[in-house]
Amino acid sequence: MDVDAIKVGGSGGYNLDSANPFGAAPAKPDEGANGPLEEILISKNWKIRNSAYKKLTQEFKMAEDEKSSVFSKYTGFFKKMLIDTNPAAQAEATEAIKIFVDRAQIAKKCVDDVLPHLVKKAFASNKATTKANTEEIFSLYFELGCGEQATTQLLAGMKSPNFKVTLTALNITIKAMKEFGPKHVQYSKLTKTMPSMFNHKKGEVRELVHQLACEVFGFIGPMFHEQIKNFKGMRSATLDAIAKAFEEISPGGSVPTRGTRSEQKKGDRSAAGAVGGAGTGKTAAPEDPYSFMEAVDISKELSKNWLTEVMAPKWKDKKAKLEELLKLAGAPKIKMVPMIHDISKNLKKLLKDSNVIVRSFSIKCLEGLAKGIRKDFKSGANSVLENLLPWFKEKKASVLVPLNQCLDSFFKHCLSWSDLNGPVQSAFKDKVPQIRKYTLDFCIRCIRDPECNNTDLKKNAFKPLIASCMELSSDRDKGVRQSALECMATFLLIFGDRAMYPMMAKIENADKKKTQNGYGPCEKNERRSEWSRKCSGR
C-alpha cells in the first residue's frame, strides 16, 4: 500500500478509526494472550501483559503448597512486572506478587528483587489497588522477618525527591510500626532519618512524621522523647507540639497488633487471629526497647584529651568536660569499651571534689553510664558505690536528687543484692544519721521495685538487712527509726508473717504494730499477689 496515497481529512479515503492502513487490525484485548505465560508476560501490548499477570495470580493461588515449583518458575519476571509503565498492568502485577510473597516459601529470597522496585515505581502510583497491594507486600515481608531490608527500603523512599514517594514511605512505616513494633521496624535506623523529616519543606510530610513519632513513643516511652530533644535542627514549636501530643499517649505500653510469623507461632502476639489463624489469647508484654537499639561508642566522640582535661585544677574546666560526657551519656544504649573503665576511675576521684557542682555532675554522668551500658557497667558501679553512699550527708538537693537517681539506676540495671549488701551495711554504721536514713530509704525503694529479684534478696541480703533494721529501729534519730520500721514492714508484706516471725518476736509491741500496719490492706494484698506470681514463674 502506498502510504502517500492515504488521504488526510475529509470524508473520503480510508477511515483511520476503523482500519489500519499499515497492515493488520489492532489486537483485541485477549488476542495473543494464549501463548506460553513466559512469553506473554513480556509482551509489548499492555493488555496482553495485563491478562498474563492475572493468569500468573491464578497460578500462584492454585499452587499445591508453599514449595510448589510454580513459585520459582517466574521470579525472574518480577522486576519488569513491577516497573510496568501501564498503571492498570502494574496494579495486576502487584496483585500477583502479593500472592507470591504471602504463599511462597522462597519469598524471603526475593526480597531484594521486589521491594526496591516497589519504592521506585509503585510508591508514586495514583491507583488505589497498587497502593493497597504495595502496603500489604511490605507488611508481608515484615511478617516474614525481613524487617531490616524492608526498613532500609522505606528509609530510601523517605529520602526520595519525589514528594509522593516520601508520603507513601511514611504511611507504610506508620502502619508497619503499629503492626510489628520498633524491634522489626529498625528503631535505631529510623531515628537517624527522622530529624530531617521533621524539618521537611512539605507540611504533609511533617504531619506524617509527627504521627510516626507518636506511634514510636507508644512503644519506647520517655527514652524516645529524650532522643527527640537532642535531634539536630528541631524547632522549639515542633518540640512543644510533640510534647503535648505525647501527654495523651500511654508511654511504652503499646504492643504490636500483628507480629512476625515466628512470633505468631509462639503465641507472642497481642491480637488474636490477625494473620494466618487464631491467636492464643495471650497478651504479649511490651518488649524492652533497649534490646533492639544500636549501641553508641561515646569514647570516639569525646574530645581527644578528655581524661586529663577533666582533672584540671579549675572547677569550671572540670564542669565543662563533665557536661561534654553527660550529653553523650544520654544515649539510650552505650557500647562498653576499655575507655569506660578509665572514665569511671576519674568520676570516682571527682566524687571527692570540694566543689558541689563537680560532684553533682559526676553523679549524673555515672547514672547515664549505668542506664546506657547496664549489666556491662557492673564493675564500674561496684567500684564507686562505697563512695556514693556517704554523700547522703549532703543537704543540697542538687546532689541528693541525682544521687538517689544514680543509685536507683545502679540497682535497676547493674547491681544485685549481693553487690549492695556490703556497702549498705557499712553505711548503716555511719555516725551521720542522714546517711543511715537515706540508705534505708534506698533499700526500701529497691525492695519495692517491681523488677526486684526476691530470690536474690532472700538469699543474699534478707537476714543481714533484717538484723540491721532491728538494730536501727531503736536508733537515737527518729527519722532512722521510722525508715527502719518501714523497711521491716516492706519485708513483712512481701515474705509474710511466717518468714518474719522469729525477728518480729524481738521487736517491742509498739514498734511491732507500726511494722504490721506499715501498709494499707489493699497494697498488702497487691504486693503479696505480685510476690506469689514471681515465685510461681507466671
Side-chain angles (χ1 to χ4, degrees), residues 10 16 27-28 43 48 54 96 109 128 167 228 230 285 299 384 427 448 498-499 507 523 538:
L16 295 177
K28 294 178 182 178
S43 170
I48 295 176
K54 288 181 180 179
K109 295 180 181 179
L167 287 180
I228 287 182
N230 294 322
S299 66
V384 300
R448 292 181 182 177
R498 183 176 295 180
I507 302 177
E523 187 172 356
R538 287 179 287 176

Side-chain angles (χ1 to χ4, degrees), residues 433-447:
Q434 190 168 309
I435 294 177
R436 300 196 296 274
K437 173 181 167 43
Y438 286 157
T439 303
L440 280 165
D441 292 344
F442 166 57
C443 290
I444 292 168
R445 292 198 305 275
C446 293
I447 298 166

Side-chain angles (χ1 to χ4, degrees), residues 204-323:
E204 294 95 324
V205 172
R206 296 196 299 272
E207 185 178 338
L208 284 177
V209 77
H210 187 100
Q211 290 179 30
L212 177 59
C214 289
E215 291 297 334
V216 175
F217 181 73
F219 285 96
I220 305 296
M223 195 184 293
F224 176 59
H225 195 183
E226 290 301 316
Q227 274 189 286
I228 287 182
K229 291 176 185 177
N230 294 322
F231 282 171
K232 292 181 180 178
M234 290 289 283
R235 302 184 185 115
S236 57
T238 305
L239 289 172
D240 291 342
I242 290 169
K244 189 175 180 180
F246 284 178
E247 288 175 1
E248 300 175 7
I249 303 169
S250 176
S254 295
V255 177
T257 60
R258 186 163 171 171
T260 63
R261 290 186 182 178
S262 60
E263 289 169 347
Q264 292 171 23
K265 288 177 182 177
K266 293 175 185 176
D268 290 341
R269 292 180 306 150
S270 63
V275 175
T280 61
K282 295 180 180 178
T283 300
E287 195 164 0
D288 183 2
Y290 185 87
S291 62
F292 45 79
M293 286 184 176
E294 186 178 351
V296 178
D297 184 356
I298 63 172
S299 66
K300 293 179 180 179
E301 299 179 47
L302 283 170
S303 53
K304 189 176 180 181
N305 299 315
W306 188 91
L307 288 170
T308 53
E309 290 173 354
V310 76
M311 305 304 292
K314 294 182 179 180
W315 74 268
K316 287 187 178 179
D317 295 336
K318 294 176 184 175
K319 177 177 174 282
K321 290 300 164 184
L322 287 169
E323 284 178 331

Side-chain angles (χ1 to χ4, degrees), residues 310-491:
V310 76
M311 305 304 292
K314 294 182 179 180
W315 74 268
K316 287 187 178 179
D317 295 336
K318 294 176 184 175
K319 177 177 174 282
K321 290 300 164 184
L322 287 169
E323 284 178 331
E324 181 187 345
L325 173 61
L326 184 59
K327 188 174 181 181
L328 295 172
K333 190 171 186 177
I334 300 171
K335 188 176 183 180
M336 186 62 186
V337 293
M339 187 178 174
I340 297 293
H341 296 295
D342 298 323
I343 292 171
S344 300
K345 289 176 184 176
N346 280 10
L347 291 175
K348 183 178 179 180
K349 292 175 184 176
L350 292 171
L351 290 174
K352 300 176 182 178
D353 197 275
S354 58
N355 187 281
V356 67
I357 297 175
V358 172
R359 293 200 302 272
S360 176
F361 271 92
S362 301
I363 293 168
K364 289 177 182 177
C365 288
L366 285 166
E367 181 197 358
L369 293 174
K371 283 182 175 180
I373 301 174
R374 298 200 176 182
K375 291 296 181 185
D376 288 337
F377 192 63
K378 181 174 181 175
S379 60
N382 255 325
S383 67
V384 300
L385 184 58
E386 287 186 345
N387 298 74
L388 282 172
L389 292 173
W391 283 111
F392 273 137
K393 68 183 179 184
E394 184 64 62
K395 294 182 179 179
K396 291 185 178 180
S398 60
V399 171
L400 283 177
V401 172
L403 176 57
N404 278 303
Q405 291 173 344
C406 179
L407 289 170
D408 290 349
S409 294
F410 277 11
F411 177 74
K412 187 177 181 68
H413 302 301
C414 309
L415 304 179
S416 63
W417 279 106
S418 57
D419 302 313
L420 291 178
N421 190 41
V424 299
Q425 291 297 331
S426 299
F428 288 151
K429 296 172 184 175
D430 196 282
K431 62 181 180 179
V432 180
Q434 190 168 309
I435 294 177
R436 300 196 296 274
K437 173 181 167 43
Y438 286 157
T439 303
L440 280 165
D441 292 344
F442 166 57
C443 290
I444 292 168
R445 292 198 305 275
C446 293
I447 298 166
R448 292 181 182 177
D449 191 317
E451 296 180 22
C452 171
N453 185 334
N454 288 307
T455 304
D456 176 39
L457 169 60
K458 193 168 185 178
K459 180 181 178 181
N460 295 304
F462 180 75
K463 288 183 178 179
L465 272 177
I466 290 293
S468 296
C469 287
M470 288 178 60
E471 185 179 341
L472 293 171
S473 66
S474 56
D475 194 274
R476 288 176 298 175
D477 185 84
K478 183 180 178 181
V480 175
R481 293 197 302 272
Q482 288 177 339
S483 292
L485 291 171
E486 187 179 353
C487 190
M488 292 191 72
T490 306
F491 273 118

Side-chain angles (χ1 to χ4, degrees), residues 12-141:
Y14 286 91
N15 185 345
L16 295 177
D17 294 327
S18 61
N20 184 351
F22 297 96
K28 294 178 182 178
D30 294 328
E31 192 176 325
N34 295 321
L37 194 52
E38 294 92 330
E39 293 180 9
I40 60 176
L41 280 170
I42 55 174
S43 170
K44 292 182 179 180
N45 188 310
W46 75 267
K47 292 183 179 180
I48 295 176
R49 294 197 306 275
N50 190 59
S51 178
Y53 299 156
K54 288 181 180 179
K55 287 182 179 180
L56 184 60
T57 302
Q58 288 304 312
E59 287 211 22
F60 286 157
K61 285 182 177 180
M62 297 298 290
E64 293 179 1
D65 55 42
E66 60 183 13
K67 298 179 182 179
S68 174
S69 60
V70 71
F71 290 123
S72 58
K73 191 175 180 181
Y74 301 103
T75 55
F77 296 93
F78 286 175
K79 178 181 176 180
K80 288 188 177 181
M81 288 169 63
L82 289 170
I83 63 174
D84 200 304
T85 54
N86 183 274
Q90 187 186 45
E92 290 297 338
T94 55
E95 178 67 25
I97 291 172
K98 181 183 75 173
I99 302 300
F100 168 84
V101 177
D102 185 30
R103 301 190 177 194
Q105 188 183 55
I106 62 168
K108 290 176 73 172
K109 295 180 181 179
C110 302
V111 62
D112 293 326
D113 296 324
V114 174
L115 297 187
H117 305 301
L118 277 178
V119 175
K120 289 177 183 176
K121 294 297 180 181
F123 271 27
S125 175
N126 292 322
K127 204 164 181 65
T129 307
T130 304
K131 284 185 175 182
N133 287 339
T134 299
E135 283 187 7
E136 185 57 21
I137 290 169
F138 265 90
S139 288
L140 286 167
Y141 268 119

